[in-house]
Amino acid sequence: MTVKEALETASRKLKKNNIENSINEAKYLLKYLLKKDDVFFITDLNYELTDDEINEYEKLINKRCSHVPFSYITGIKEFMGLDFYVDEETLIPRPETEIIVEYMIEHFKAIPMDILEIGVGSGCISISIAKCLENVNILGVDINEKALVTANKNIKEHNVQDRVKFIKSDIYENVEGKFDVIISNPPYIRKDIIDTLEDDVKKYEPILALDGGEDGLYFYREIIRNASKYLNKGGYIIFEIGYDQGEEVKDLLIQNNFADIEIIKDLAGFDRTVAGRLKLLK
Ligand SMILES: C[S@@+](CC[C@H](N)C(=O)[O-])C[C@H]1O[C@@H](n2cnc3c(N)ncnc32)[C@H](O)[C@@H]1O
């Protein structure tokens, strides 16, 4: 079977199983398997695949047809131009989460600071910040020990072990000290919505990374309620939020002595990030 034939068969099968962009997905999976660049897929469409390659490709396509997310098949997801290891214990980093990192770069470039991240998952936020801002020290926590294994692998891969440390903690449980910024992309999906999500998400991404409690706001409430114990006066809190949570999270911040609250939209025009500053005086 040639590359061209394999791609045609695979993309038909993917389409039949409701995978969008089936042509591209078929190509990217074969590219991943053969470790070839884009040029190969223009110049070598008549390359004859070996039997092993055909079998392996079929396994990859079958996984994708069962809606295993592409990034869990390849084990890698790009975020802020960097590659991160991911697996079924870590949320797949989303492009809209880059807004938190961009906010940090824009506001705090060259300022030395201590940062706490709650719910690190793959570690993509903390590690990207450390790669972009030289003067930061970051403590990240996650309740899921298995996610921390992958997050720690990413710390090493990106060589930021001198400035980024991840520990197991249920929110602040094992956190000591004070920080200049608290960051979190917490689980924020309402419990009753989870069942309506696409299969790729609800069947394969970790429930611990999705479930934000009855109203989706559990983690915002918990993090904000205790933030003043861990945040220096004038310190910042920066959250990713669901598209309809901006006003509620803003209110929670106001009720807990935060000011200068900004709600930032993503590229699709939805509220996506909220930042606020702990008041200097009560
Ligand atoms: C939405 S994911 C975000 C992962 C990563 N920061 C990202 O943006 O891709 C939320 C993370 O919070 C973690 N988490 C859930 N409950 C937690 C808790 N009680 N304390 C600390 N982390 C928790 C989950 O394991 C998950 O890794």
Side-chain angles (χ1 to χ4, degrees):
M1 184 185 279
T2 64
V3 165
K4 185 167 186 279
E5 287 161 349
L7 288 175
E8 283 167 357
T9 311
S11 79
R12 266 198 304 276
K13 195 165 172 184
L14 289 167
K15 194 169 179 195
K16 214 167 136 194
N17 284 278
N18 302 318
I19 302 293
E20 283 176 25
N21 291 322
S22 55
I23 295 173
N24 279 338
E25 293 235 4
K27 180 177 138 189
Y28 291 145
L29 283 173
L30 192 55
K31 191 174 163 189
Y32 161 72
L33 176 71
L34 300 178
K35 300 185 175 48
K36 298 286 186 190
D37 59 17
D38 281 335
V39 176
F40 175 85
F41 288 89
I42 300 166
T43 57
D44 289 79
L45 286 174
N46 291 324
Y47 168 86
E48 284 285 340
L49 296 168
T50 65
D51 286 349
D52 278 356
E53 286 168 342
I54 292 169
N55 286 339
E56 283 307 308
Y57 189 44
E58 206 169 284
K59 280 189 206 154
L60 295 178
I61 293 297
N62 286 343
K63 273 196 190 171
R64 192 65 192 106
C65 285
S66 313
H67 289 254
V68 177
F70 188 87
S71 300
Y72 288 155
I73 297 175
T74 61
I76 299 284
K77 176 69 185 175
E78 193 244 80
F79 180 84
M80 290 297 296
L82 303 168
D83 280 344
F84 287 91
Y85 293 114
V86 291
D87 60 28
E88 295 190 10
E89 298 294 337
T90 63
L91 188 88
I92 298 169
R94 306 295 204 268
E96 56 270 24
T97 303
E98 294 182 351
I99 298 173
I100 294 184
V101 181
E102 286 158 2
Y103 185 96
M104 292 295 295
I105 297 168
E106 202 182 312
H107 289 75
F108 305 121
K109 203 162 189 195
I111 302 176
M113 54 171 54
D114 292 315
I115 298 170
L116 171 66
E117 184 190 354
I118 298 174
V120 296
S122 65
C124 61
I125 299 178
S126 287
I127 293 169
S128 305
I129 290 172
K131 292 294 280 184
C132 297
L133 302 177
E134 278 176 13
N135 296 318
V136 297
N137 279 305
I138 306 180
L139 175 68
V141 305
D142 205 291
I143 199 168
N144 182 355
E145 263 173 309
K146 290 183 183 154
L148 288 172
V149 172
T150 304
N152 281 319
K153 215 166 122 188
N154 282 321
I155 285 186
K156 284 211 188 87
E157 182 67 24
H158 294 293
N159 203 21
V160 288
Q161 50 273 50
D162 54 334
R163 289 176 300 124
V164 182
K165 189 178 166 203
F166 293 149
I167 61 165
K168 184 181 177 196
S169 179
D170 178 354
I171 311 186
Y172 297 113
E173 189 187 19
N174 299 323
V175 175
E176 281 173 14
K178 291 239 179 195
F179 299 84
D180 302 300
V181 183
I182 295 174
I183 291 169
S184 187
N185 171 18
Y188 58 69
I189 315 276
R190 268 189 5 228
K191 217 181 245 314
D192 62 338
I193 299 281
I194 291 176
D195 233 21
T196 68
L197 300 175
E198 304 171 339
D199 276 359
D200 296 37
V201 179
K202 75 167 179 244
K203 276 171 72 178
Y204 296 102
E205 298 215 63
I207 187 75
L208 264 176
L210 303 174
D211 187 349
E214 299 302 328
D215 63 356
L217 299 172
Y218 170 80
F219 287 93
Y220 301 112
R221 230 177 260 118
E222 289 302 305
I223 293 170
I224 293 170
R225 195 162 60 86
N226 293 302
S228 62
K229 287 188 213 149
Y230 298 93
L231 209 48
N232 290 321
K233 285 263 155 57
Y236 288 78
I237 205 159
I238 305 166
F239 286 122
E240 177 165 321
I241 52 160
Y243 73 96
D244 55 355
Q245 294 172 325
E247 289 306 317
E248 286 163 313
V249 174
K250 182 177 176 180
D251 287 346
L252 285 171
L253 287 167
I254 291 170
Q255 286 156 22
N256 286 275
N257 204 32
F258 281 84
D260 302 335
I261 295 159
E262 270 182 89
I263 300 180
I264 302 145
K265 291 190 189 299
D266 61 22
L267 287 174
F270 295 117
D271 290 351
R272 186 57 62 193
T273 308
V274 176
R277 197 164 186 201
L278 188 63
K279 286 184 193 166
L280 291 170
L281 299 170
K282 227 179 174 140

